[in-house]
Amino acid sequence: MNFIINNIDEVKILKQIKNKVAAKNFAKKWKGIGYEKGDSQRFWLSLLNEVYGVEYPAEFIRFEDQVALDHTSFIDGYIPSTHVLIEQKSIDKDLRKPIKQSDGSFLSPFQQAKRYSIELPYDERPRWIVLSNFAEFHIFDMNKPQAEPEIVYLKDLEEDYYRLNFLVDTKEKEIQKSLEVSIKAGELVGILYDNLLKKYIDPQDPKVLQDLNILCVRLVFCFYAEDAYLFGKKNMFYDYLKTFKDSPEAFRNALIQVFKILDEDESSRDPYLSDELLAFPYVNGGLFAKEDLVIPRLDEEIIDIILNQASSGFDWSKISPTIFGSLFESTLNPDTRRAGGMHYTSLENIHKVIDPLFLDELKEEFNEIMEIKTINVRKKKLEALQDKIASLVFLDPACGSGNFLTETYICLRKLENQILKELYGNQIMLGAVHNPIKVSIGQFYGIEINDFAVSVARAALWIAESQMMNQTEEIINMDLDFFPLKSYPNIAEENALTYDWNNLVKAEDVSYIMGNPPFVGAMLMSKSQTNEIKNLYESIKGSGEIDYVTGWYLKSAEMMEKNPNIISALVSTNSISQGQQPGIYWRYISQRYNLEIVFAHQTFKWNSEAKLKAAVHVVIIAFANKNNPNVKYKYIFTDKMALKVNNINSYLLDAEDVFIENRKDPICQVSPMNFGNMPRDGGNFILDENEKDALIKSEPISKNWIHLYLGANEFINNKKRYCLWLTDADPSEIKSSPTVMKRVEGVKNFRLSSKAKSTQKMADSPTLFAQRTQQVGKPFIMVPATSSERRKYIPIGFLDGDVIASNGALIITDATIYEFGILTSNVHMAWMRVVGGRLKSDYRYSKNIVYNNFPWPDPDQKQREKIEGTAQAILDARDIYPYSSLADLYDDLTMPKELRKAHQENDRAVMEAYGFDWHKMTESECVAELMKMYKDMTSDK
């Protein structure tokens, strides 16, 4: 029986213990050694072979590849299969400091490596850049080019060896094969579904759609059952139906008969039915219980799909129930079909939740038991571990098609099968021997609002149970009865936020809560969803500003109040760990229910496989009662890196528990920041270049009222828009300009047609912008409201007082060059990246969250003057390139060296003003210190 192999298979599990010893020996052997030219290749070949088990490392890694840049430079090391580029330095080199190049420029090792990477063919561009000086490994994830590096020290390799697993961790071919089969299966179901739907008299009737969904679930189960020999022999479903293939009416009746017989106990059946029909087993479980299921008239095309394409033409036994469940649901669910067709949650993303939640610990316990030499002791320990696994209870309160539950079941059964292999693997079990399987799908509970997803989840779990039972049979050399189904998936069709979870499973029985609740932001929720959140959070201030997923956090916390041993891990939109949301929902539930975060995955893309997909940026947050005895360590994960930490705050940093609040005024004595000017005009005040020229030509007086009008997009990309600014215009002059008057009338009509009373009131002053925040004539700093996440610095700049800032930007009037230096520094950017919000993945700068809560330094006069000088140098460096937009200048690949150096000097000056170590402090450490300052500054407020 073919089956899914998980991200960490059995071979890798058994290697982990050996790897730890090997890492210790490797670190000892290479301590104090490290000449770049003489030792580099030996070092990497030894590491890959001795620690990571690469049998032929010389074929796995390439050395000294020539760089096309100048034909005199060479890449120190490159691993093609995992896309790792290595920049090696001698042991006496500081990996953080710039090094003089042959052309006279100064580049840090990372900048040098990035320059090499640009010259590689696109399909060889590195996913990872590793800097090494033999004593340290600095690891850069190029999917997050602005993130700080993860650092692994040679002396700590015994404990941290797993953090370099990405060097050799290629995707399993078996997973890819199973994925391809499952996608093909999903496509077949889609074809069948579309053809059946056409045959219904009223295809829009909800009952018709419900019956069609059930019909498809039954057919898929039969396709799988015959290929997995669950019906007794292969192709049994096909062999019975093919005798009726020439008569669509007879074929339909035969299908009805099969469904009926599968729901009848053998003792209750009509003994005079055909032997072929009576040969089908009794399934049980409710899948075939609905007697009034409407099956439409069939035609030759549908019969051909069922018999030749789906039944005999495809092997369903090879599908992954985890992946196929999602594919199946999205294929048949009208909402997801409209959104772009099939999608699924990847095994990799599921394991980001379940591995650190419980699976890694169980596997580690198994490995430790296997090291025990005394056979009887090892046997008792294995039996106890099997009982422990069978006692665990899992709840997914937003289970969808059951992918988290199904994958968890498969992983636990695989671990149980390893145990059974050790206990019974060399025996032939004959006679009436009890069933040795203890792990049951009855341990898994789910809540799902969609009726069809509930049916799919149940079917997926049954298929998973069959596949794993087949593996057990091979281990114990014994046939086990699958039918009739003896255990049932406990999936409730309910709204999880209005349903009492204890009605499904008692809190006292639950071990883990997990899943990925709906990705719905606060601004996109329906009225009913908004009310659900407000009802849960009662009168908590700001409850209307938090995402839908926070409802699952609160409901999980309520379960934990009854059972403090539960640990919960939920996938969530990353917005709940940014901006004001942590200060609303997490402050409430963590303090109300005494909770803490025990592990967290920082922001990553949760990809959908839908054809019209839009990746959602998510985090994973695991939390538990502070007194939970099952929590031993805390970890922060960044992709495949894991950092053991002391505390994880609501911004997913190793820092104190701090809540950044929405604040109207700055906490420090600095110039106030305001929003740009909002027209709310229906476009009537706004002009493009051609409209501006035509208006001035026809009505020259309008030139006095036309100003350059810039928001974030225009400012960064050097685009031009204009606006009519009539604040000081004489009414008689406005009336003398027909085009301007027409636009003013357009503003008035637009505002009057609004449903918002506040906008309607603004119709009384149609010559004015709805919101005016700047005084024309006064220069100001412009901060774009949104900017690409791929930029290290948000482009900030000074603008002339005659420019009008749109509501797509924020402004600081009469700001100083010193304030500009602080705001454009890496310190402020680090703060913004953590506490600011996101628009999709772009940075979203907030006045009330980012700026007003930012802790400013208290520099002495010399430090202040130095910052003023470095800030001016940034502006001067920009002026060298007058024809380049800020987008050009701040692209990491094209940033001029003068500008890069100016920013680095400014960063250094600002960090010194804070008393931070410019050479050693990481970005997360910087933000942790800022949060301490914030806490001190606001403690009396």
Side-chain angles (χ1 to χ4, degrees):
M1 178 75 67
N2 292 350
F3 56 94
I4 286 287
I5 293 181
N6 295 309
N7 291 355
I8 304 176
D9 63 21
E10 290 82 353
V11 176
K12 291 180 181 177
I13 293 171
L14 295 175
K15 283 183 178 179
Q16 286 177 357
I17 297 170
K18 294 180 181 178
N19 284 351
K20 199 168 184 177
V21 175
K24 180 181 179 180
N25 293 336
F26 177 84
K28 184 178 180 181
K29 180 172 73 173
W30 283 91
K31 182 180 179 181
I33 301 174
Y35 173 57
E36 179 181 347
K37 297 300 181 185
D39 296 320
S40 293
Q41 295 189 20
R42 288 194 309 112
F43 177 80
W44 283 97
L45 291 171
S46 176
L47 177 71
L48 292 170
N49 175 252
E50 296 168 17
V51 180
Y52 296 99
V54 177
E55 191 171 359
Y56 302 107
E59 299 175 9
F60 188 76
I61 184 173
R62 304 196 308 245
F63 297 106
E64 300 296 327
D65 281 0
Q66 190 176 64
V67 181
L69 186 67
D70 56 11
H71 302 289
T72 62
S73 300
F74 297 86
I75 295 172
D76 294 327
Y78 183 75
I79 303 176
S81 59
T82 51
H83 291 267
V84 178
L85 187 148
I86 298 162
E87 180 64 23
Q88 184 69 44
K89 299 298 179 187
S90 295
I91 196 168
D92 59 341
K93 298 295 184 183
D94 189 336
L95 298 175
R96 303 164 181 82
K97 289 186 177 181
I99 300 171
K100 189 173 183 179
Q101 307 297 304
S102 58
D103 61 2
S105 63
F106 283 83
L107 294 176
S108 69
F110 179 53
Q111 291 169 339
Q112 186 178 349
K114 281 206 300 182
R115 191 162 71 169
Y116 293 162
S117 75
I118 295 170
E119 298 301 317
L120 289 172
Y122 185 80
D123 60 354
E124 291 188 20
R125 295 276 175 90
R127 162 66 196 279
W128 307 92
I129 288 179
V130 179
L131 315 179
S132 173
N133 62 0
F134 296 92
E136 299 176 12
F137 300 89
H138 291 212
I139 304 147
F140 294 83
D141 181 353
M142 300 312 291
N143 279 358
K144 303 173 184 177
Q146 304 306 337
E148 63 193 62
E150 303 292 344
I151 300 176
V152 176
Y153 296 93
L154 181 69
K155 62 182 180 63
D156 298 329
L157 196 62
E158 180 184 359
E159 295 297 328
D160 289 347
Y161 75 91
Y162 64 92
R163 294 174 62 189
L164 295 178
N165 277 340
F166 67 90
L167 294 171
V168 298
D169 187 15
T170 56
K171 190 171 184 179
E172 296 290 352
K173 293 180 180 179
E174 289 86 352
I175 293 177
Q176 185 62 34
K177 182 178 180 181
S178 181
L179 170 60
E180 292 171 358
V181 172
S182 299
I183 289 176
K184 176 62 177 175
E187 291 172 348
L188 277 174
V189 172
I191 295 170
L192 180 59
Y193 179 95
D194 290 338
N195 280 273
L196 285 168
L197 183 62
K198 296 173 187 176
K199 292 298 180 179
Y200 282 97
I201 296 172
D202 185 2
Q204 302 303 317
D205 184 349
K207 185 183 181 303
V208 165
L209 294 175
Q210 187 178 49
D211 281 0
L212 175 55
N213 289 338
I214 295 172
L215 173 58
C216 288
V217 172
R218 288 185 180 182
L219 287 169
V220 166
F221 189 85
C222 290
F223 296 149
Y224 172 80
E226 67 172 346
D227 285 342
Y229 295 90
L230 297 181
F231 285 160
K233 66 176 183 178
K234 192 171 177 66
N235 295 328
M236 185 171 173
F237 186 62
Y238 169 82
D239 289 341
Y240 177 72
L241 290 177
K242 72 177 181 180
T243 58
F244 306 98
K245 64 183 178 62
D246 295 328
S247 171
E249 184 177 352
F251 190 94
R252 178 177 177 273
N253 290 332
L255 203 57
I256 294 171
Q257 282 288 88
V258 170
F259 292 162
K260 183 178 180 182
I261 204 74
L262 290 172
D263 194 50
E264 289 182 346
D265 183 278
E266 285 82 354
S267 62
S268 304
R269 293 177 176 179
D270 179 354
Y272 297 103
L273 292 172
S274 67
D275 291 342
E276 292 80 8
L277 196 56
L278 289 172
F280 283 95
Y282 169 45
V283 171
N284 199 14
L287 180 58
F288 298 94
K290 183 176 171 60
E291 295 183 1
D292 60 343
L293 180 73
V294 176
I295 298 177
R297 292 177 181 171
L298 308 180
D299 59 21
E300 292 179 357
E301 186 175 2
I302 292 174
I303 293 172
D304 178 69
I305 295 170
I306 292 174
L307 288 180
N308 301 321
Q309 297 182 47
S311 183
S312 67
F314 189 80
D315 187 354
W316 293 82
S317 67
K318 293 182 173 63
I319 63 172
S320 158
T322 302
I323 296 172
F324 179 68
S326 293
L327 291 173
F328 193 11
E329 181 197 348
S330 64
T331 301
L332 273 63
N333 187 319
D335 292 333
T336 53
R337 282 165 70 85
R338 281 193 293 270
M342 294 190 298
H343 71 274
Y344 67 93
T345 302
S346 70
L347 292 178
E348 179 184 8
N349 281 340
I350 293 172
H351 279 270
K352 285 178 180 176
V353 174
I354 68 175
D355 284 2
L357 185 59
F358 56 85
L359 196 56
D360 284 344
E361 186 174 338
L362 292 173
K363 289 179 177 180
E364 184 178 351
E365 186 173 346
F366 174 79
N367 291 335
E368 290 173 354
I369 293 172
M370 292 305 296
E371 289 296 303
I372 298 173
K373 303 302 181 184
T374 307
I375 295 175
N376 287 338
V377 175
R378 185 170 70 241
K379 181 176 181 292
K380 289 180 179 179
K381 293 277 188 182
L382 288 171
E383 290 171 342
L385 178 57
Q386 184 186 16
D387 289 337
K388 175 181 175 179
I389 296 170
S391 72
L392 300 176
V393 174
F394 301 87
L395 169 62
D396 183 346
C399 70
S401 53
N403 44 26
F404 275 82
L405 298 175
T406 304
E407 181 63 11
T408 297
Y409 171 78
I410 289 173
C411 291
L412 295 185
R413 282 286 289 111
K414 289 184 72 174
L415 187 54
E416 183 181 37
N417 277 344
Q418 286 182 268
I419 294 171
L420 295 177
K421 186 174 182 179
E422 295 300 322
L423 296 176
Y424 307 112
N426 296 321
Q427 304 175 28
I428 298 177
M429 303 179 69
L430 301 173
V433 181
H434 74 285
N435 186 337
I437 298 172
K438 294 182 179 180
V439 176
S440 162
I441 60 175
Q443 297 169 233
F444 298 85
Y445 294 80
I447 305 172
E448 171 55 41
I449 196 170
N450 181 280
D451 65 309
F452 177 57
V454 170
S455 298
V456 173
R458 290 171 179 159
L461 277 165
W462 276 322
I463 289 173
E465 185 180 35
S466 161
Q467 290 183 341
M468 300 316 299
M469 184 179 286
N470 185 275
Q471 292 180 39
T472 305
E473 289 175 334
E474 294 177 2
I475 290 170
I476 64 176
N477 298 300
M478 172 185 174
D479 290 333
L480 301 172
D481 292 327
F482 183 66
F483 291 138
L485 298 169
K486 301 171 185 65
S487 54
Y488 309 96
N490 303 297
I491 314 294
E493 183 187 328
E494 299 285 351
N495 181 333
L497 296 192
T498 58
Y499 175 67
D500 185 351
W501 297 0
N502 285 276
N503 290 338
L504 176 66
V505 55
K506 296 298 181 186
E508 293 78 10
D509 297 331
V510 175
S511 307
Y512 300 100
I513 299 171
M514 61 191 183
N516 58 327
F519 298 151
V520 185
M523 298 296 105
L524 299 175
M525 287 191 290
S526 66
K527 187 175 181 179
S528 63
Q529 290 171 332
T530 301
N531 289 335
E532 288 167 13
I533 295 298
K534 287 185 176 180
N535 289 337
L536 286 172
Y537 283 88
E538 299 173 343
S539 58
I540 302 303
K541 183 180 178 182
S543 60
E545 307 297 325
I546 55 180
D547 290 353
Y548 196 43
V549 68
T550 58
W552 277 262
Y553 279 74
L554 182 54
K555 297 279 282 189
S556 297
E558 290 174 347
M559 292 283 275
M560 291 176 181
E561 188 174 36
K562 297 179 180 179
N563 178 4
N565 292 334
I566 295 173
I567 304 178
S568 177
L570 300 175
V571 183
S572 314
T573 39
N574 63 349
S575 51
I576 72 163
S577 61
Q578 300 163 349
Q580 64 180 323
Q581 291 205 53
I584 300 171
Y585 87 94
W586 185 250
R587 165 180 275 178
Y588 173 68
I589 64 172
S590 64
Q591 295 176 358
R592 166 69 176 80
Y593 298 98
N594 194 34
L595 303 181
E596 63 179 353
I597 298 174
V598 296
F599 76 78
H601 274 271
Q602 294 180 338
T603 299
F604 64 96
K605 289 182 180 179
W606 186 271
N607 288 315
S608 162
E609 294 304 316
K611 295 173 184 175
L612 305 178
K613 64 183 178 182
V616 180
H617 289 75
V618 303
V619 295
I620 297 171
I621 300 177
F623 52 100
N625 187 283
K626 289 181 179 178
N627 300 316
N628 190 324
N630 299 317
V631 176
K632 298 180 179 65
Y633 306 105
K634 296 185 178 75
Y635 289 95
I636 294 176
F637 296 91
T638 59
D639 198 69
K640 293 188 178 181
M641 302 295 172
L643 304 175
K644 188 185 293 184
V645 297
N646 295 318
N647 186 65
I648 305 173
N649 71 11
S650 55
Y651 300 92
L652 310 189
L653 291 177
D654 179 14
E656 294 184 41
D657 290 323
V658 172
F659 298 105
I660 311 299
E661 298 181 342
N662 193 314
R663 195 178 299 276
K664 292 182 179 179
D665 301 303
I667 61 173
C668 298
Q669 297 298 314
V670 293
S671 301
M673 175 179 280
N674 292 302
F675 294 106
N677 303 278
M678 182 183 294
R680 205 169 295 176
D681 64 330
N684 289 286
F685 282 141
I686 314 305
L687 308 165
D688 61 25
E689 191 89 41
N690 293 332
E691 289 171 329
K692 180 220 31 165
D693 292 341
L695 179 56
I696 293 174
K697 183 176 181 180
S698 63
E699 298 166 19
I701 194 172
S702 64
K703 185 177 182 180
N704 299 326
W705 312 321
I706 296 176
H707 293 257
L708 193 62
Y709 180 67
L710 302 181
N713 183 43
E714 295 81 20
F715 175 64
I716 292 173
N717 295 291
N718 214 12
K719 296 179 179 179
K720 290 186 178 181
R721 279 200 304 172
Y722 302 86
C723 72
L724 286 169
W725 189 260
L726 303 171
T727 304
D728 300 320
D730 187 291
S732 63
E733 292 179 335
I734 295 176
K735 283 190 173 183
S736 69
S737 177
T739 305
V740 174
M741 274 298 295
K742 185 176 180 181
R743 287 180 174 267
V744 170
E745 289 172 3
V747 173
K748 184 180 182 71
N749 293 333
F750 172 79
R751 293 176 179 175
L752 286 173
S753 64
S754 173
K755 294 180 180 179
K757 290 184 178 179
S758 59
T759 303
Q760 294 173 10
K761 191 173 181 180
M762 292 172 189
D764 294 339
S765 51
T767 60
L768 304 177
F769 269 48
Q771 177 179 285
R772 302 173 303 285
T773 56
Q774 75 179 90
Q775 186 177 343
V776 177
K778 285 192 172 186
F780 60 93
I781 282 180
M782 173 175 279
V783 180
T786 57
S787 177
S788 170
E789 66 165 337
R790 298 189 67 82
R791 299 189 183 106
K792 184 175 182 180
Y793 306 94
I794 292 179
I796 298 172
F798 282 97
L799 290 180
D800 183 86
D802 286 333
V803 175
I804 302 298
S806 83
N807 56 307
L810 302 118
I811 61 175
I812 308 172
T813 305
D814 289 332
T816 66
I817 191 70
Y818 163 76
E819 290 171 315
F820 170 77
I822 298 293
L823 291 177
T824 199
S825 71
N826 61 344
V827 176
H828 186 66
M829 293 300 138
W831 174 263
M832 177 277 303
R833 271 189 275 273
V834 171
V835 306
R838 291 285 192 275
L839 185 61
K840 295 183 179 179
S841 62
D842 290 344
Y843 302 135
R844 190 172 188 178
Y845 196 97
S846 164
K847 172 179 79 77
N848 290 359
I849 297 293
V850 178
Y851 183 79
N852 287 346
N853 287 303
F854 179 61
W856 289 66
D858 185 20
D860 58 31
Q861 187 60 33
K862 185 177 179 181
Q863 289 171 330
R864 187 182 183 95
E865 289 174 357
K866 185 174 182 180
I867 293 171
E868 290 172 347
T870 56
Q872 185 59 52
I874 291 173
L875 298 175
D876 293 341
R878 291 179 184 176
D879 289 341
I880 298 174
Y881 302 92
Y883 301 109
S884 295
S885 68
L886 289 172
D888 299 328
L889 294 176
Y890 282 86
D891 186 299
D892 196 58
L893 295 177
T894 58
M895 178 181 265
K897 62 182 180 180
E898 300 91 346
L899 183 58
R900 190 185 302 275
K901 183 178 180 181
H903 268 288
Q904 290 171 345
E905 291 300 320
N906 185 69
D907 293 343
R908 182 173 186 171
V910 171
M911 292 190 75
E912 288 174 350
Y914 278 95
F916 295 164
D917 188 329
W918 185 72
H919 292 292
K920 296 182 179 179
M921 178 174 273
T922 65
E923 185 168 298
S924 59
E925 290 170 343
C926 173
V927 178
E929 288 300 316
L930 291 175
M931 286 187 168
K932 288 181 183 178
M933 293 174 62
Y934 168 84
K935 197 170 185 178
D936 292 340
M937 291 177 178
T938 58
S939 59
D940 61 341
K941 300 180 181 181

